[in-house]
Amino acid sequence: MKIPKTSTGDRKFLELAFRLARRGYGRTSPNPMVGAVLVKNGRVIGQGWHHRAGAPHAEIEALRAARGNVEGATLFVTLEPCCTHGRTPPCTAAIINAGIKRVVVAASDPNPSHHGKGFKILKKAGITVSTGLLAEREQELNEAFRHWIVQRTPFVTVKAAMSLDGKIATRSGESKWITGPKARDYGMNLRVGADAILVGVKTIIADDPQLTTRKKGFEDKAPRRIVLDPTARIPLDAKVIAPSTTIVVTAGAPVRRVKALRQRAQVLVAPNRNGGIDLRWLLKNLGREPIIHLLVEGGGETNASFLLQGLAQRVAFFYAPIVIGGRTAPKGVAGDGVPDMASRILLRDIQWRQLEPDLLLTGRVGAAA
């Protein structure tokens, strides 16, 4: 994409729109995060962001918040304005009716059915449209939505907290706490941004986690909890068991156990693949719900299943400055591993973040461009 020549002011106002868009983090699914700023005579006269699915879009929020006459103003928005009537009316119509003379947009709508149509409608109405500035920032902001809207399967992030030698627990199974408070708080922030949290049944048996968010300001946020349990081994009194929790089993699971689980939680019977859950089938099923962003939190076998089958898009690995050791101590990524170095899993767009004594590595899964 050829990025148009833009002023310093354009960048400044669009960066403000991105800061506003981030305020919708954890709230907008299955919609993207979007921010908008209205500028007239070099001054901000209105700003807004998409608060939640079903609520007015960022452009409408900015128009409603505008001070004074907006006719002739410039609208800065992080994503192409919608042009169809969904839960809310099309934003393109509101922009045209308001008399906006110019629209600066970071990136186009990734939905193949809508891509570029909003721009055409605005241009046809005589509005100047500039696109491409800070496009990469928008793609990063809404990477989960962009993946889902095209693939119709969840964007998968594999998360693990490990020692420097890659252990997620001691040989006796003790795992609390490997990382410090700041890293654990960041982990909770990842949960807030996900639609569902998935673990294997071994994690439930070993740790009995609740898999809740426990994040200030998001007390009402309750990501879907999913447990992979091919043979229905999960204890019926596990903390994660609830009517909103999904236990994924296979047809080979004992009928009596499955019947008992159905009285306490949702049960999804998945096809069997190599003695376990068919994860590709599961992701397609979750994508239809829709689950946009799936956070996989292990244990090591579950993490390996997603990574080695090429089903993960991002990793978030927390490393504590400790060494645990042990031949039988659980690993952050287990499984059979790759057969040779040519098959190794590569990460790109690597970022390191220091969280007090701990380090967080994030990266996209896939070969470097």
Side-chain angles (χ1 to χ4, degrees):
M1 176 185 294
K2 183 179 180 180
I3 299 177
K5 293 182 179 179
T6 53
S7 67
T8 302
D10 282 357
R11 178 176 290 272
K12 178 182 71 174
F13 295 129
L14 198 51
E15 286 178 341
L16 172 58
F18 273 106
R19 292 197 294 273
L20 293 167
R22 286 289 302 177
R23 296 186 184 184
Y25 180 76
R27 300 290 189 189
T28 63
S29 184
N31 293 344
M33 291 174 276
V34 183
V37 176
L38 276 169
V39 176
K40 190 171 184 179
N41 299 323
R43 298 180 62 183
V44 174
I45 62 170
Q47 57 187 37
W49 69 94
H50 186 40
H51 291 247
R52 57 179 175 79
H57 290 183
E59 301 92 323
I60 306 304
E61 291 281 3
L63 287 168
R64 290 179 178 177
R67 302 181 300 277
N69 184 6
V70 302
E71 188 173 356
T74 297
L75 173 68
F76 294 84
V77 62
T78 56
L79 188 64
E80 179 180 357
C82 68
C83 59
T84 58
H85 200 301
R87 295 191 192 183
T88 59
C91 291
T92 49
I95 293 168
I96 294 168
N97 293 335
I100 303 299
K101 72 173 183 179
R102 181 172 177 245
V103 176
V104 179
V105 184
S108 57
D109 191 331
N111 187 335
S113 300
H114 302 157
H115 179 81
K117 291 183 178 179
F119 295 150
K120 291 180 180 179
I121 291 172
L122 295 176
K123 290 177 180 178
K124 188 175 181 180
I127 297 173
T128 301
V129 178
S130 299
T131 64
L133 181 64
L134 302 182
E136 289 184 0
R137 188 174 300 183
E138 197 288 327
Q139 291 163 7
E140 180 181 351
L141 176 70
N142 287 308
E143 62 178 353
F145 171 79
R146 285 180 166 272
H147 173 88
W148 173 79
I149 200 67
V150 175
Q151 303 297 331
R152 293 296 173 174
T153 57
F155 181 93
V156 176
T157 297
V158 174
K159 167 182 171 281
M162 299 176 277
S163 61
L164 288 178
D165 54 335
K167 307 296 186 178
I168 58 175
T170 66
R171 63 184 182 183
S172 64
E174 185 180 352
S175 61
K176 294 183 179 179
W177 294 102
I178 287 179
T179 54
K182 192 167 184 178
R184 296 200 300 273
D185 183 70
Y186 197 99
M188 284 295 159
N189 196 53
L190 292 178
R191 286 185 179 183
V192 164
D195 299 297
I197 304 166
L198 182 148
V199 300
V201 69
K202 290 182 181 179
T203 295
I204 301 299
I205 294 172
D207 300 334
D208 196 18
Q210 297 183 59
L211 302 181
T212 53
T213 52
R214 306 191 299 279
K215 182 77 173 177
K216 185 177 180 181
F218 290 88
E219 289 81 5
D220 61 332
K221 174 80 175 184
R224 174 93 161 274
R225 295 175 292 179
I226 302 170
V227 181
L228 301 184
D229 187 10
T231 57
R233 293 191 296 143
I234 188 170
L236 297 179
D237 60 352
K239 293 176 182 176
V240 76
I241 295 288
S244 60
T245 299
T246 298
I247 312 300
V248 187
V249 303
T250 63
V255 175
R256 184 175 298 178
R257 290 286 301 173
V258 172
K259 183 178 180 180
L261 281 174
R262 289 191 190 278
Q263 296 175 356
R264 297 167 172 82
Q266 299 177 37
V267 176
L268 181 63
V269 180
N272 186 306
R273 185 178 185 274
N274 298 327
I277 304 294
D278 186 333
L279 295 181
R280 293 183 187 278
W281 177 91
L282 177 61
L283 290 176
K284 290 179 181 179
N285 193 285
L286 295 177
R288 288 192 290 267
E289 294 199 15
I291 299 295
I292 309 304
H293 188 183
L294 177 66
L295 185 63
V296 175
E297 295 200 16
E301 295 294 333
T302 298
N303 291 345
S305 294
F306 279 91
L307 287 167
L308 297 177
Q309 291 183 47
L311 302 178
Q313 283 71 52
R314 179 170 286 278
V315 300
F317 288 164
F318 296 83
Y319 290 97
I322 60 174
V323 174
I324 293 177
R327 297 183 186 88
T328 60
K331 306 176 184 68
V333 180
D336 293 331
V338 298
D340 48 52
M341 287 299 289
S343 305
R344 68 194 186 277
I345 299 169
L346 301 177
L347 300 181
R348 57 186 174 85
D349 301 332
I350 298 297
Q351 293 184 4
W352 287 96
R353 180 190 299 261
Q354 186 156 6
L355 301 169
E356 292 178 339
D358 305 314
L359 290 176
L360 168 62
L361 166 69
T362 59
R364 291 294 299 264
V365 180

